[in-house]
Amino acid sequence: VQLQASGGGLVQAGGSLRLSCAASGRTFSNYRMGWFRQAPGKEREFVAAISWSGTSTYYADSVKGRFTISRDSAKNTVYLQMNSLKPDDTAVYSCAAGPEWVRGAWDYRGKGTQVTVSS
């Protein structure tokens, strides 16, 4: 099973980026998908999650109103649209998948993509 994140890069504050995470090796029926990030010297933190159906989304307070998570289950892909980026958003962003029937579980995690926001 692989979760491969892409789309990171260097952007100025106020700019936008769209991250993608392609899952392979299995289908993720009834799995929630999520994004996490880890900045240098800090612990990994939750960013956003989306249910298998796509009807429920969850966001960290720090990104609400700026980031949007979406998924294309037919393509086994989840996206993170990031707008109004701030220097504090600089981090390695990675995606994860977890069964919806187990609260808080993230069974699969992928390697990340670097996002750097300059001031």
Side-chain angles (χ1 to χ4, degrees), residues 25-45:
R26 62 160 292 163
T27 59
F28 286 92
S29 299
N30 297 313
Y31 271 65
R32 78 179 80 84
M33 302 290 290
W35 287 95
F36 292 77
R37 67 186 182 186
Q38 187 166 18
K42 295 186 178 180
E43 294 188 354
R44 183 174 56 206
E45 65 173 348

Side-chain angles (χ1 to χ4, degrees), residues 1-4 20-29 31 33 52 71-79 95:
V1 176
Q2 279 194 327
L3 299 174
Q4 183 62 56
S20 299
C21 174
S24 61
R26 62 160 292 163
T27 59
F28 286 92
S29 299
Y31 271 65
M33 302 290 290
W52 159 248
R71 71 187 295 171
D72 184 336
S73 295
K75 295 182 178 179
N76 254 2
T77 301
V78 63
Y79 305 95
C95 57

